[in-house]
Amino acid sequence: MPNWQLDDPAAAWPALRTSCSKLVRQTAWKNACTAAESLGRAPSGADARRYFETHFVPWRLVNPDGSMQGLITGYYEPLIRGSRTRGGRNTWPVHGVPRDMLTIELGDVYPELKHLRLRGRVEGNKVLPYFTREELEQRDAQLPAPILFWADDPIDLFFLQVQGSGRIQLPDGSMARVGYADQNGHPYQSIGRWLVAKGELSLDKASMDGIKRWAQDNPHRLAEMLNANPSYVFFRELPSSNDGPIGAQGVPLTEGRSIAVDPRYVPLGAPVFLSTTYPLSDRPLNRLMMAQDTGGAIKGVVRGDFFWGFGSEAGREAGRMRQQGSMWVLLPRGMTPPALQ
């Protein structure tokens, strides 16, 4: 890892301990996580570096075509406004999981497909794909799904779905938190790319801010734009706290130290060394991260989504991040990467 010396691994220690709270139960990780616990909550940079170099072996992630770089994007925990009751501006439903949606684990039938699942619905004696975003919007009150909150802005709600979790500021000023519960089974399609393909925005303007401005200028085409992404995320309410949102590993994410990956190639919880650049620049960003999350658009070997944290500043950085980067996964000595098993 040519840039390994450019980061302080002690800064990743809180995220490592969070990952180890789950991984310590697995035989392959037990020794490494027990050793981390023995070093306490705040080891020196030298001790943290020695720990990683002693207990882990870095494996470089390489794409099927032999290339060693891939897309690194960013995400964050947004804040939107809403209410538990419908009224005023709060008219956009934040849905829980529909009662009529089936989840079919393909790995139960075909072990080689253990990471794949289908979402569907029963109609007559057939199992059909579950409804797209457009079809869900058309069903409206007929959708057999709980409504957890009512949001006051459809674009903010859309980006809440893209991020997969967030906080909702209620009328009395209190905060609620929601996290990813399930998804309708349709692939994520970027509305930014749709706007570029339609000639509505140039590629450099297809950021979160650019999309929001376009929506404000074209309210009559809002549904057309949103429905270009057939994917739809359903939420669950989570306890409100100051910790990061809960990622796919089941632990709170750490600002600037958690990364979403494709778990077919990177085990959840594993340390990942990322070598990329800051958004819209060539300034190096070399960071030891923890693979604590996944995402509908995070598919492929060298593919990562950098968690920037909570709030508007984190959102600006996340919305501008579309860099190329290299990744190494650090696995306990003796452990084989999933793709080689």
Side-chain angles (χ1 to χ4, degrees), residues 189-211:
Q189 301 291 336
S190 167
I191 59 174
R193 289 201 195 106
W194 181 84
L195 288 168
V196 171
K198 292 287 186 181
E200 299 293 332
L201 290 178
S202 60
L203 185 59
D204 62 314
K205 295 291 196 306
S207 64
M208 190 185 317
D209 288 340
I211 293 170

Side-chain angles (χ1 to χ4, degrees), residues 23 28-29 32 52 54-59 61 265-272 328-341:
L23 293 176
W29 291 88
F52 284 106
T54 299
H55 292 280
F56 292 90
V57 174
W59 296 77
L61 296 172
Y265 310 107
V266 179
L268 282 178
V272 171
W328 291 258
V329 58
L330 279 62
L331 298 180
R333 294 187 180 277
M335 184 176 177
T336 304
L340 299 181
Q341 292 176 1

Side-chain angles (χ1 to χ4, degrees), residues 246-266:
I246 303 298
Q249 194 198 357
V251 300
L253 304 182
T254 300
E255 176 181 330
R257 290 291 170 174
S258 295
I259 190 169
V261 297
D262 188 333
R264 293 176 296 176
Y265 310 107
V266 179

Side-chain angles (χ1 to χ4, degrees), residues 21-40:
S21 69
K22 297 282 187 177
L23 293 176
V24 71
R25 305 166 194 167
Q26 301 179 25
T27 302
W29 291 88
K30 186 174 180 60
N31 288 341
C33 286
T34 301
E37 185 66 23
S38 69
L39 286 175

